C-alpha cells in the first residue's frame, strides 16, 4: 500500500488499530545466576536501607527562614535537590495571596510548568492558578501564574514597550541554576535585569557555590537587599558504591581516595590500550544486583537514546507485583485509548519488566506515562539520558552511572561536577528512603579517576550567559534609547562577577555585539537613523524566535502571503528545528512533497541575498533543511502519526518537538494580527492542523 496518497486522490480509509489490551503475559522462568557479593564495608552502608517511620511534616529551619525573608526582601535559596524548595514556593505564594498580591512562578521546561501547575492547583485551588507556556493558556487572569521563563521575559518586553508596570508582586524562578545554561541562560539573565525592583524575587536552585555572588549582583542591579538561604544537608544521605566486573559491590571511596578494588580497576584501565575491547555491560545482571540488595527503584544513566532502548530490550521479566491489577489499571487510565500509546513498541517491557526508557526521542505522552508510573511506585528501573537529571521529578533509591561524559548537543564532553550532582540528586526519596545510593560501574565510557574527582568536588560556579540577538535589540529599542540600553547591558552578570578589567571587557564585548546587530538591522531597513524601529521593525520585534530576522525577511518579501495553512506551516518548519543534520525521508514521502520542494527552493532563493549579507557582516545563519518542511506538510495534511514516523528518519520525540516548535513559531506569526490580519489568521489555522493527538 502506498505510504501517502495525493490530495487530489482520495486517501484510503485506514482501519483503526485494534485496541491493545493491557494484559500481562505469562512470565518466563529466569536463568539462575551466581549471586552478587557484598563487601563487608558496603554491607555497613546498606544496613539503613528502608522507609523512615511516618511522622508529621515539619519544615526544616532553612525553609522557614526563606519564607520569612521573602516577605520583605529578595531571596536566593540554594539547597540540594529534593530538599523541599517547592514547599518554600507554596508557602511564599500563600502569604502573597493573603496580602492580595499576584505571583508568577517560572520554570525552564514546559513539562515542569505543567507539573507545577497541577501541584499548585491542587494545593491552592484551581481557580487561583493559571498556566502560560505557549502550548497552554488557561486561566490567564488568575492571581498565580505558572509558566516558562520565556513567557515571563516576553511579558516584560511588552510592559516596557507599553510603559506600564508588570502586574505581579512576587516572581519565583525555579531551577534558577539555568542562569548558567549556555543556551537558555540569556533569558534568565534578561528577566533578572528587566524585572522592576518593587517586585519581590525568590530564586530556587540546586546547590551552587556562588549563590552569595549572585545575591550581591542582584542587590547591585535592583537596588534592594537580597538574602541568601543555604542548606548543604541532603534530606536523604548519599552513599557511593562500586560494582566490579565479577559482581562484587564495594564502596567507591575510602575517605578521599578510591577504594582498593576501584583503584585496581582504574590502574588496569590505564595499562590497557584504547583499542582493547571492553566487556559489554550486562544490563540484566546489573538490575538483578540492584534487586538483590534492595536498591530499586533505580535510574540508569546511559550515553544515548539508542543505548537506553537497547538496555530496555535486554531486560528479563521482573517478579510479580503485589498490586499487579493496580499497575495495569493505572497504565490503562494514563493511556486513555490513545492508539500511539496502546501500540507503543515498549509497552510490553513496561508491563512485564516494570521498566521504561525515558529520553527526548520518545513521544511526550509516552514520557509522561513513564513519569507517572515512576511517581506511583510501579516502575523498578528507568534507562535515561541526562534529561531526567534536568528538572523531571524522578526520585529513586539509586542512580547508576555507566559513563563519565555527556552529549552537549554537538559532541561528547567530560561531565562536570554540576552534571554529577544533578544526577546524584535523584538518589534517595524524602519520606520514602533512609538513604540513597549512586552505583558506579566501570566500562569503556567511564573514567574512574574523573568520577572520583567530581564526587569530591563542589558544583561549578554559575557564569553569565547573556548574548545579544536580533529580537533583543528590536524589543529594547521600542522601550529604551541607546544610552538606556548601554546601561542595561552594563547590569549583566558578566559585567559584575569578574575582576574590573575582565568585567569591562565583558561589557565592551556586549556593546560591540549590540552595535553589530543594530547596524545590520539599520541596513536592512528595520531601524531608522534615530535608532528607532521602523514600522517593519515594530512588527518584527513581535517575532520572539531563534531566527526572527530570516522569517521577517520572508514575510516582508511576500513569500508567505496567500499561502494556505498547510503550506505556511511547512515553510515555517525549517526555522523551527535545532537539528543541524539532514534527515532522510522515504521515496513515497519525497514523491508526495515534490511540489513543496519547488516552493522551498523559491523560498531559499529569496533568502540567499540576506544570508550572504549576514555572513559578510560576521553573522552565522543556521542551516536550513528541507526535511522539516516535508514532515510538517504531511502532518498538517492529516496523515496518521505512525504512518509519518515510518517515513521520516527521525525519532518520534524529535518529530513531536518539530511539530510543537513549528506551532510556537506560528503562534508568533499569529501575534502580528494588527499588522497582517490575513497572515495571522492563516497561522492560527495552521496551528490547529498541527496540534492534534498524540501531541496534545
Amino acid at each position: 500500500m502506498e505510504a501517502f496518497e495525493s490530495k487530489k486522490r482520495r486517501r484510503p480509509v485506514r482501519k483503526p488499530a485494534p485496541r491493545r489490551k493491557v494484559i500481562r503475559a505469562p512470565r518466563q522462568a529466569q536463568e539462575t545466576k551466581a549471586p552478587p557479593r557484598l563487601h563487608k564495608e558496603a554491607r555497613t552502608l546498606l544496613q539503613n536501607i528502608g522507609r523512615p517511620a511516618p511522622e508529621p511534616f515539619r519544615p526544616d529551619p532553612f525553609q522557614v527562614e526563606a519564607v520569612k525573608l521573602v516577605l520583605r526582601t529578595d531571596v536566593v535559596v540554594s539547597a540540594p535537590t529534593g530538599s523541599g524548595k517547592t514547599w518554600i514556593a507554596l508557602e511564599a505564594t500563600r502569604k502573597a495571596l493573603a496580602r492580595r498580591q499576584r505571583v508568577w512562578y517560572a520554570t525552564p521546561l514546559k513539562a515542569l510548568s505543567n507539573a507545577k501547575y497541577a501541584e499548585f492547583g491542587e494545593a491552592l485551588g484551581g481557580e487561583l492558578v493559571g498556566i502560560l507556556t505557549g502550548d497552554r493558556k488557561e486561566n490567564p487572569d488568575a492571581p498565580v501564574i505558572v509558566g516558562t521563563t520565556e513567557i515571563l521575559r516576553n511579558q516584560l518586553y511588552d510592559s516596557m514597550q507599553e510603559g506600564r508596570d508588570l502586574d505581579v508582586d512576587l516572581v519565583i524562578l525555579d531551577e534558577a541554576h539555568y542562569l548558567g545554561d549556555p543556551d537558555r541562560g540569556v533569558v534568565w539573565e534578561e528577566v533578572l535585569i528587566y524585572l522592576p525592583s518593587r517586585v519581590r524575587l525568590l530564586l530556587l536552585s540546586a546547590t551552587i557555590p556562588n549563590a552569595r555572588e549572585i545575591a550581591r549582583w542582584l542587590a547591585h542591579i535592583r537596588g534592594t537587599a537580597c538574602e541568601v538561604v543555604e542548606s548543604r544537608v541532603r534530606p536523604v544521605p548519599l552513599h557511593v558504591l562500586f560494582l566490579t566486573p565479577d559482581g562484587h559491590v564495594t564502596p567507591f571511596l575510602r575517605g578521599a581516595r578510591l577504594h582498593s578494588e576501584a583503584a585496581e580497576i582504574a590502574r588496569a584501565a590505564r595499562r590497557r590500550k584504547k583499542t582493547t575491547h571492553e566487556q559489554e555491560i550486562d544490563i540484566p545482571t546489573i538490575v538483578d544486583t540492584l534487586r538483590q540488595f534492595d536498591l530499586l527503584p533505580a535510574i540508569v544513566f546511559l550515553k544515548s537514546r539508542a543505548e537506553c532502548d537497547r538496555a530496555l530490550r535486554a531486560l528479563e521479566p521482573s517478579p510479580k507485583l503485589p498490586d499487579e491489577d493496580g499497575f495495569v489499571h493505572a497504565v490503562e487510565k494514563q493511556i486513555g485509548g490513545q492508539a500511539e500509546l496502546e501500540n507503543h513498541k515498549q509497552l510490553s517491557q513496561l508491563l512485564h519488566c516494570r521498566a521504561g526508557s525515558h529520553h527526548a526521542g520518545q513521544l511526550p505522552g509516552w514520557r509522561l506515562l513513564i513519569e507517572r508510573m515512576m511517581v506511583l511506585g510501579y516502575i523498578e528501573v528507568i534507562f535515561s539520558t541526562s534529561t531526567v537529571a534536568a528538572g523531571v521529578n524522578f526520585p529513586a533509591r539509586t542512580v547508576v552511572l555507566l559513563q563519565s561524559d555527556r552529549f552537549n548537543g554537538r559532541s561528547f564532553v567530560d561531565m562536570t561536577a554540576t552534571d554529577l550532582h544533578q544526577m546524584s540528586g535523584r538518589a534517595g526519596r524524602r519520606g520514602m528512603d533512609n538513604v540513597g545510593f549512586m552505583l558506579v560501574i566501570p566500562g569503556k565510557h567511564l573514567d574512574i579517576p574523573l568520577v572520583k574527582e567530581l564526587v569530591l568536588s563542589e558544583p561549578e560556579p554559575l557564569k553569565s550567559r547573556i548574548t545579544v540577538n536580533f529580537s533583543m535589540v528590536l524589543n529594547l529599542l521600542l522601550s529604551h534609547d541607546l544610552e538606556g540600553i548601554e546601561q542595561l547591558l552594563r547590569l549583566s552578570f558578566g559585567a559584575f562577577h569578574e575582576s574590573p578589567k575582565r568585567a569591562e571587557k565583558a561589557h565592551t564585548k556586549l556593546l560591540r555585539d549590540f552595535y553589530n546587530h543594530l547596524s545590520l538591522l539599520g541596513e536592512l531597513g528595520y531601524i531608522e537613523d534615530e535608532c528607532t524601529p521602523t514600522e517593519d521593525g515594530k512588527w518584527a520585534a513581535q517575532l520572539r524566535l531563534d531566527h526572527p530576522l530570516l522569517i521577517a525577511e520572508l514575510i516582508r518579501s511576500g513569500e508567505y502571503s496567500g499561502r494556505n495553512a498547510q503550506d505556511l506551516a511547512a515553510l515555517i518548519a525549517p526555522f523551527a528545528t535545532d537539528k543541524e543534520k539532514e534527515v532522510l525521508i522515504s521515496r513515497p514521502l519525497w514523491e508526495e512533497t515534490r511540489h513543496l520542494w519547488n516552493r522551498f527552493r523559491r523560498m531559499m532563493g529569496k533568502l540567499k541575498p540576506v544570508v550572504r549579507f549576514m555572513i559578510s557582516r560576521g553573522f552565522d545563519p543556521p542551516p536550513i533543511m528541507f526535511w522539516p518542511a516535508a514532515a510538517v506538510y504531511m502532518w498538517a495534511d492529516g496523515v496518521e502519526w505512525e504512518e509519518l514516523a515510518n517515513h521520516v528518519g527521525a525519532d518520534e520525540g524529535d518529530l513531536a518537538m518539530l511539530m510543537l516548535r513549528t506551532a510556537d513559531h506560528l503562534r508568533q506569526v499569529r501575534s502580528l494580527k494588527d499588522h497582517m490580519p490575513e497572515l495571522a489568521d492563516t497561522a492560527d489555522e495552521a496551528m490547529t492542523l498541527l496540534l492534534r493527538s498524540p501531541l496534545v
Side-chain angles (χ1 to χ4, degrees):
M1 185 178 73
E2 288 187 18
F4 299 103
E5 293 288 331
S6 169
K7 291 183 68 175
K8 297 180 180 179
R9 303 190 296 274
R10 181 179 178 182
R11 188 178 302 281
V13 178
R14 293 173 56 86
K15 295 182 180 180
R19 182 177 177 85
R20 183 171 185 166
K21 295 183 179 180
V22 183
I23 300 176
R24 292 181 66 86
R27 298 185 180 277
Q28 302 171 356
Q30 297 191 23
E31 179 184 350
T32 302
K33 297 176 181 176
R37 297 174 293 125
L38 191 62
H39 191 280
K40 62 180 181 180
E41 294 178 34
R43 192 179 306 277
T44 302
L45 300 180
L46 269 62
Q47 66 184 5
N48 290 327
I49 282 182
R51 298 177 69 98
E55 59 180 28
F57 171 77
R58 295 185 182 87
D60 292 333
F62 86 91
Q63 295 173 299
V64 175
E65 181 187 7
V67 174
K68 182 179 179 181
L69 285 171
V70 81
L71 295 176
R72 62 178 187 269
T73 185
D74 293 345
V75 179
V76 176
V77 177
S78 174
T81 300
S83 57
K85 293 185 287 292
T86 298
W87 183 89
I88 297 173
L90 274 169
E91 288 303 303
T93 299
R94 286 191 175 99
K95 293 189 179 298
L97 290 174
R99 296 180 170 192
R100 298 185 179 278
Q101 294 179 334
R102 301 178 65 84
V103 179
W104 226 107
Y105 186 101
T107 86
L109 305 170
K110 292 179 181 179
L112 188 56
S113 293
N114 289 333
K116 294 301 181 182
Y117 171 59
E119 186 176 355
F120 273 53
E122 183 177 349
L124 304 173
E127 72 282 359
L128 295 177
V129 185
I131 185 169
L132 295 172
T133 64
D135 291 345
R136 297 179 70 182
K137 182 180 181 180
E138 298 177 22
N139 203 11
D141 297 322
V144 179
I145 295 297
V146 179
T148 54
T149 316
E150 281 80 1
I151 298 294
L152 175 57
R153 190 274 314 272
N154 292 345
Q155 288 191 352
L156 285 166
Y157 276 154
D158 292 338
S159 65
M160 290 190 297
Q161 291 166 17
E162 296 166 12
R164 58 175 174 81
D165 201 4
L166 186 70
D167 189 16
V168 66
D169 303 285
L170 170 64
V171 166
I172 303 172
L173 293 180
D174 198 2
E175 305 285 344
H177 46 274
Y178 264 77
L179 176 66
D181 184 83
D183 298 318
R184 306 280 300 283
V186 57
V187 176
W188 294 76
E189 197 160 340
E190 282 189 274
V191 166
L192 294 171
I193 292 172
Y194 305 154
L195 194 69
S197 60
R198 68 157 190 86
V199 179
R200 287 280 66 77
L201 185 61
L202 173 60
L203 274 66
L204 304 174
S205 174
T207 305
I208 50 175
N210 60 334
R212 296 189 180 279
E213 183 183 23
I214 292 170
R216 289 195 299 271
W217 168 60
L218 290 173
H220 170 71
I221 67 173
R222 289 169 52 77
T224 185
C226 184
E227 299 288 343
V228 175
V229 176
E230 291 183 288
S231 174
R232 298 282 179 163
V233 179
R234 282 180 54 103
V236 180
L238 177 71
H239 298 315
V240 185
L241 302 173
F242 186 75
L243 179 61
T244 68
D246 61 352
H248 198 190
V249 178
T250 76
F252 181 58
L253 298 175
R254 181 175 282 158
R257 296 184 177 183
L258 288 171
H259 192 272
S260 57
E261 298 207 28
E264 175 56 36
I265 291 175
R267 286 193 293 270
R270 286 197 300 269
R271 289 194 297 265
R272 289 193 298 267
K273 295 181 179 179
K274 292 184 178 180
T275 56
T276 301
H277 175 70
E278 293 276 359
Q279 184 177 357
E280 290 296 324
I281 298 296
D282 186 346
I283 290 295
T285 297
I286 292 172
V287 174
D288 285 345
T289 300
L290 294 168
R291 186 180 292 115
Q292 169 87 17
F293 297 120
D294 200 16
L295 292 170
L296 296 174
I299 302 170
V300 180
F301 288 106
L302 296 169
K303 287 175 68 73
S304 67
R305 302 172 183 182
E307 285 193 5
C308 292
D309 295 341
R310 283 197 298 271
L312 184 65
R313 291 194 298 269
L315 282 186
E316 300 168 351
S318 63
K320 186 176 176 65
L321 268 174
D323 186 17
E324 193 88 9
D325 292 339
F327 178 32
V328 172
H329 176 73
V331 171
E332 288 182 325
K333 182 179 179 181
Q334 183 65 34
I335 286 176
Q338 299 177 67
E340 292 81 11
L341 302 186
E342 285 184 328
N343 299 291
H344 198 280
K345 59 187 177 183
Q346 294 179 353
L347 181 60
S348 176
Q349 282 93 350
L350 171 63
L351 294 171
H352 299 168
C353 306
R354 280 191 280 155
S357 173
H358 186 285
H359 53 70
Q362 303 275 23
L363 278 172
W366 182 257
R367 293 202 303 270
L368 181 59
L369 170 63
I370 297 298
E371 292 165 17
R372 292 280 173 86
M373 294 308 107
M374 185 74 167
V375 170
L376 290 173
Y378 288 121
I379 290 184
E380 285 190 326
V381 60
I382 296 292
F383 302 105
S384 177
T385 56
S386 58
T387 52
V388 165
V392 178
N393 182 21
F394 249 16
R397 177 166 292 174
T398 306
V399 297
V400 179
L401 191 69
L402 290 137
Q403 82 278 351
S404 55
D405 57 358
R406 65 176 182 86
F407 190 66
N408 66 2
R410 294 166 290 277
S411 61
F412 281 96
V413 297
D414 284 345
M415 277 186 191
T416 64
T418 298
D419 296 329
L420 192 70
H421 279 259
Q422 285 284 334
M423 292 177 174
S424 64
R426 300 295 166 192
R429 302 159 295 176
R430 188 172 190 173
M432 300 178 68
D433 290 309
N434 290 321
V435 289
F437 299 89
M438 180 166 70
L439 180 64
V440 179
I441 301 179
K444 60 184 178 182
H445 300 304
L446 189 119
D447 182 335
I448 294 175
L450 174 60
V451 173
K452 175 204 133 183
E453 179 184 336
L454 298 181
V455 168
L456 297 174
S457 300
E458 288 287 322
E460 289 77 15
L462 299 186
K463 296 180 180 179
S464 175
R465 300 296 185 178
I466 195 166
T467 56
V468 176
N469 55 63
F470 290 111
S471 181
M472 178 194 294
V473 172
L474 287 170
N475 277 278
L476 289 181
L477 285 172
L478 288 172
S479 56
H480 293 74
D481 58 20
L482 289 181
E483 183 179 355
I485 294 174
E486 288 188 8
Q487 288 302 315
L488 279 180
L489 295 178
R490 191 173 289 278
L491 298 179
S492 75
F493 189 36
F496 172 83
H497 78 298
E498 299 168 345
S499 65
K501 184 176 181 180
R502 297 185 68 181
E504 186 60 33
K505 182 179 180 181
H507 178 58
T508 301
K509 181 180 184 303
L510 273 178
L511 283 180
R512 183 171 62 250
D513 289 347
F514 171 78
Y515 281 105
N516 285 343
H517 283 75
L518 183 70
S519 175
L520 188 141
L521 287 168
E523 292 185 74
L524 291 176
Y526 292 95
I527 295 174
E528 296 176 324
D529 293 339
E530 298 81 8
C531 289
T532 57
T534 62
E535 286 303 310
D536 285 347
K538 291 176 182 177
W539 61 255
Q542 302 305 308
L543 299 173
R544 292 155 185 171
L545 308 164
D546 291 337
H547 310 295
L549 187 58
L550 298 181
I551 292 179
E553 283 294 287
L554 291 171
I555 292 174
R556 196 163 64 166
S557 71
E559 181 61 27
Y560 293 142
S561 300
R563 298 287 185 193
N564 61 34
Q566 187 178 358
D567 282 355
L568 178 61
L571 296 177
I572 287 285
F575 306 97
T577 180
D578 57 0
K579 301 295 180 184
E580 297 185 356
K581 292 183 179 180
E582 189 66 78
V583 169
L584 294 178
I585 58 177
S586 70
R587 180 169 293 278
L589 176 54
W590 165 249
E591 293 295 337
E592 185 67 18
T593 57
R594 186 184 293 273
H595 62 290
L596 182 66
W597 169 249
N598 294 329
R599 297 170 195 167
F600 176 80
R601 289 183 61 190
R602 172 183 162 178
M603 180 180 77
M604 295 301 295
K606 286 191 174 182
L607 274 184
K608 187 175 291 185
V610 70
V611 167
R612 287 177 174 172
F613 179 65
M614 291 175 68
I615 292 173
S616 72
R617 295 298 190 274
F619 293 92
D620 187 19
I624 304 172
M625 299 167 288
F626 176 66
W627 76 267
V632 167
Y633 181 88
M634 296 312 301
W635 179 243
D637 195 38
V639 302
E640 298 292 335
W641 182 262
E642 182 179 3
E643 191 174 356
L644 178 66
N646 285 338
H647 292 273
V648 180
D651 288 341
E652 285 188 310
D654 291 334
L655 271 180
M657 183 59 66
L658 170 64
M659 303 304 167
L660 294 172
R661 284 175 61 92
T662 301
D664 277 344
H665 281 53
L666 290 165
R667 189 175 288 107
Q668 300 294 316
V669 175
R670 187 182 63 178
S671 70
L672 306 182
K673 192 171 182 62
D674 291 343
H675 302 274
M676 304 163 188
E678 183 178 345
L679 179 61
D681 288 343
T682 305
D684 187 64
E685 182 183 350
M687 287 173 56
T688 302
L689 296 178
L690 298 186
L691 296 178
R692 56 188 175 92
S693 180
L695 305 181
V696 295

